Amino acid sequence: MTSLIDSFGREITYIRVSVTDKCDLRCDYCSPAKGVHPNGKYTEYLTAEEISRICSAFVRLGVKRIRFTGGEPLLRKDLTEIVSMINQDNDNLDLSLSTNATRLERYAKPLYQAGIRRLNISLDTLNADEFNRITRGGNLNKVLTGIYQAKKIGFDPIKINTVMMRGVNDDQMENLIDWSAKYGLELRFIEIMPIGKSGIDSMNKHIPMQEMLERVEKHLGEKLIPSISRQGGGPAKYYRTEKKHLGIGVISAVSQHFCATCNRVRLTSRGTLALCLGQEHSIDLRQPIRDGISDNELEAMIVKSMELKPERHFFNENRKNIEFRQMVSLGG
Ligand code: SAM
């Protein structure tokens, strides 16, 4: 079997699939308040069959993990159909979902039945007013109800991803640690990244990973120990405490990039295969598919695209080329 190896010897085994670039929240560090929010014509988006066909091609090329993301993936009405299709066509896949959980109460069960087992939920605060402010109108209660329902159904793990920002939600750090421990959720603190104008404008609130870890230690009253067994191919670094048996993850894309072990590419809802979160290198798969290319030709295009994957992002050195990229399109 051909596998996907890029020019720097990294094997690509993971694809993040954005099924829509629309979102029902407008987090102020992610989306502009109004205007320039993606709103494509129906035909601009990949169909369920097209997404499934591309994912199956990736699986034949050695990809084992597929994460559905967005925009908000639960806004896409045929999401469970997409997941089922991919799950039925391929064996032993690790299927996961990133969501803001506003619609999770309703969709948790069908998604579990379709084959999703792991969930990442974005939640920046447990304070309802602060949540409403950050998301520009979101309802915290709906999110919490969705999370508790997902726990009941049996998703495992459920990871809570919190973008930690100084003066915005860092008052919630300790609260989030205690709440996650109480409900058996895996908490990960994420450094704000300079992606899109909203992200770049929020960089003055950036909190480096080291500072977050020191605060966690202070709160728990124990030293954090790197959790070697948990350091997978992903960007998070995991830590645990000896006495309280608590774990925490940190994603530090800015203060310490992890590009050397990057194992992933991203498919946007309009069919662009993006080879790096922080750089433009990409190819279009939608038009060739609609022009009728064969499965073999599709696989060959994907293999060839690996030559374009850049060595690393340049978040700190050059923000110009990521000013107009949007997290809602790239899927995080
Ligand atoms: N709607 C889904 C969700 O909320 O998880 C998936 C898409 S959302 C764009 C994915 C993740 O990107 C969220 O956890 C969000 O907090 C994060 N994100 C958006 N802009 C960011 C930025 N500038 N820096 C760091 N994380 C960001």
Side-chain angles (χ1 to χ4, degrees):
M1 186 174 75
T2 320
S3 49
L4 293 173
I5 312 277
D6 76 359
S7 322
F8 303 94
R10 296 171 296 196
E11 187 177 1
I12 304 308
T13 54
Y14 177 28
I15 181 166
R16 297 176 61 97
V17 178
S18 171
V19 293
T20 177
D21 49 19
K22 296 177 179 138
C23 191
D24 53 345
L25 300 180
R26 273 178 180 256
C27 301
D28 64 358
Y29 59 88
C30 181
S31 303
K34 50 181 175 338
V36 290
H37 204 258
N39 194 10
K41 277 191 252 141
Y42 182 67
T43 52
E44 288 177 33
Y45 295 99
L46 294 178
T47 64
E49 288 74 17
E50 288 168 339
I51 294 175
S52 170
R53 187 173 169 209
I54 295 171
C55 286
S56 292
F58 269 97
V59 174
R60 290 194 297 278
L61 292 167
V63 161
K64 299 176 181 70
R65 291 175 61 192
I66 301 177
R67 172 173 298 278
F68 300 94
T69 174
E72 174 44 43
L74 297 184
L75 289 184
R76 188 146 171 166
K77 297 213 166 49
D78 56 359
L79 179 64
T80 46
E81 199 184 308
I82 296 172
V83 176
S84 293
M85 236 188 265
I86 296 170
N87 200 23
Q88 276 160 21
D89 289 350
N90 303 283
D91 294 327
N92 299 323
L93 279 186
D94 172 352
L95 297 174
S96 57
L97 175 78
S98 287
T99 175
N100 62 26
T102 55
R103 292 163 193 238
L104 195 55
E105 187 188 12
R106 175 162 161 208
Y107 289 110
K109 194 164 181 196
L111 282 168
Y112 192 89
Q113 286 166 340
I116 300 280
R117 288 293 175 272
R118 300 191 302 112
L119 285 183
N120 282 8
I121 294 171
S122 308
L123 177 61
D124 295 332
T125 174
L126 291 167
N127 175 308
D129 293 335
E130 205 169 85
F131 183 84
N132 185 272
R133 224 173 14 252
I134 296 173
T135 58
R136 298 196 182 99
N139 178 337
L140 176 67
N141 207 30
K142 273 198 203 167
V143 171
L144 296 180
T145 312
I147 294 173
Y148 300 143
Q149 172 71 358
K151 188 77 195 165
K152 209 157 84 189
I153 294 215
F155 288 92
D156 186 31
I158 300 177
K159 294 183 184 167
I160 303 295
N161 285 341
T162 303
V163 178
M164 209 23 97
M165 292 162 287
R166 201 181 306 284
V168 177
N169 61 338
D170 58 338
D171 61 314
Q172 288 288 307
M173 209 182 248
E174 291 75 13
N175 204 6
L176 279 159
I177 295 172
D178 297 345
W179 172 79
S180 306
K182 178 173 168 193
Y183 289 99
L185 307 163
E186 286 189 23
L187 181 61
R188 308 194 304 175
F189 290 141
I190 302 177
E191 288 183 6
I192 179 87
M193 293 178 234
I195 295 188
K197 185 152 185 348
S198 310
I200 293 173
D201 288 349
S202 301
M203 286 308 286
N204 56 350
K205 299 161 195 145
H206 177 260
I207 307 181
M209 163 180 149
Q210 197 49 42
E211 186 180 329
M212 296 195 223
L213 292 176
E214 282 161 20
R215 260 185 75 177
V216 176
E217 285 184 338
K218 191 164 169 219
H219 178 60
L220 296 176
E222 278 189 70
K223 277 267 167 242
L224 289 169
I225 308 160
S227 218
I228 308 292
S229 60
R230 293 284 328 270
Q231 317 295 2
K237 289 200 176 70
Y238 288 96
Y239 297 84
R240 62 183 173 81
T241 58
E242 210 143 56
K243 285 190 218 127
K244 293 201 179 94
H245 298 293
L246 281 177
I248 189 135
V250 187
I251 301 184
S252 58
V254 176
S255 67
Q256 282 179 20
H257 73 79
F258 32 76
C259 306
T261 54
C262 184
N263 61 354
R264 63 200 57 196
V265 291
R266 293 170 169 83
L267 178 67
T268 74
S269 54
R270 301 181 199 215
T272 300
L273 181 64
L275 295 148
C276 173
L277 182 61
Q279 296 230 48
E280 292 303 312
H281 308 66
S282 58
I283 61 164
D284 173 43
L285 292 178
R286 186 182 66 193
Q287 198 54 48
I289 281 186
R290 293 186 182 172
D291 288 344
I293 56 166
S294 67
D295 281 347
N296 281 345
E297 286 167 326
L298 175 59
E299 284 176 35
M301 273 190 83
I302 295 171
V303 170
K304 179 106 181 93
S305 74
M306 293 300 125
E307 291 171 15
L308 293 176
K309 189 167 167 64
E311 187 174 12
R312 50 168 294 209
H313 66 65
F314 289 101
F315 283 164
N316 297 316
E317 298 85 342
N318 179 8
R319 291 189 179 161
K320 263 275 157 280
N321 67 347
I322 43 177
E323 188 167 339
F324 301 105
R325 311 197 84 194
Q326 289 200 44
M327 227 29 167
V328 278
S329 305
L330 293 164

